[in-house]
Amino acid sequence: MQLKWSAIFISAVLLCSGCQSLLPKAQGLSTTTWIAQNYQRQDQLEIQWKEQSFSFLLYQQQQGQKLEMLALTLTGQQLFKLSFDGQKVHVEQRIEQMKLLPFEFVVRDILYATYPHFAQLQQQNVRIENSAQTQSVFINQQHVLNLQHENDVIELDNLQVPYQMVISSINESLENTDLDSTE
């Protein structure tokens, strides 16, 4: 009996571990023209995916080839930490509620929305159509993403997964400021 339950448990673990690999890969993410640079950005994101809604602060920082993203709740709890090297998303940490979030798509879409000239790094399989404040992103002839820019807010609609995201730029720097008073 013990052997039977062990086999069922191992089968369930293998089945669940394969769930992430069943998610489709995000086309238009990896690029051979990824360049090393210094880049930093901070935003507040709101994601509506399935029946779940997430609101968090996202910090992006690239030094050299590696772009790191860190997500924190508005109260400071770490939600996830990941990195992107131009080829692949490496999820380093995430909370249980975000286990099934399609991080490849989220990273790809954030890069198209916020990273300087990311679409131009994608060679021939990406086409951007612009109209007024809206961008439509086509990858391999398939319409995958809509971006609407208004002031410091970007509304993103992923047509593949699907989910919606609102990215609000945070312009204040996190650097220390000298608040010494004159004496």
Side-chain angles (χ1 to χ4, degrees), residues 142 159 181:
Q142 183 181 4
L159 306 173
S181 60

Side-chain angles (χ1 to χ4, degrees), residues 45-182:
L45 274 69
E46 296 173 35
I47 299 178
Q48 181 67 43
W49 179 59
K50 295 187 179 185
E51 297 83 37
Q52 300 197 18
S53 179
F54 304 101
S55 183
F56 54 88
L57 301 173
L58 180 71
Y59 301 96
Q60 298 179 61
Q61 182 171 337
Q62 180 178 356
Q63 293 178 325
Q65 289 284 109
K66 186 177 180 182
L67 173 68
E68 295 181 324
M69 293 185 180
L70 174 65
L72 302 172
T73 65
L74 302 179
T75 59
Q77 177 190 7
Q78 185 171 316
L79 298 173
F80 64 82
K81 182 178 180 182
L82 55 85
S83 63
F84 177 67
D85 60 8
Q87 297 296 311
K88 187 175 180 185
V89 174
H90 306 275
V91 179
E92 297 170 21
Q93 297 173 338
R94 62 181 164 217
I95 64 169
E96 186 65 33
Q97 294 87 333
M98 295 192 160
K99 286 281 189 198
L100 296 179
L101 191 66
F103 281 105
E104 278 194 7
F105 287 93
V106 171
V107 169
R108 178 197 68 187
D109 297 348
I110 289 170
L111 291 174
Y112 275 97
T114 65
Y115 195 84
H117 312 293
F118 185 74
Q120 295 172 359
L121 298 175
Q122 293 302 316
Q123 308 190 352
Q124 73 273 8
N125 66 338
V126 174
R127 184 183 58 170
I128 307 289
E129 289 184 5
N130 294 306
S131 63
Q133 297 172 328
T134 304
Q135 290 182 313
S136 298
V137 178
F138 293 82
I139 299 174
N140 294 328
Q141 310 284 325
Q142 183 181 4
H143 189 189
V144 298
L145 185 61
N146 286 326
L147 301 169
Q148 185 169 347
H149 299 264
E150 190 171 322
N151 299 326
D152 287 338
V153 175
I154 302 168
E155 292 183 25
L156 184 149
D157 188 15
N158 180 302
L159 306 173
Q160 289 179 303
V161 174
Y163 63 83
Q164 292 76 41
M165 183 185 307
V166 176
I167 303 171
S168 303
S169 177
I170 299 174
N171 293 325
E172 295 84 36
S173 174
L174 295 178
E175 297 174 4
N176 283 337
T177 56
D178 189 8
L179 299 176
D180 290 340
S181 60
T182 57

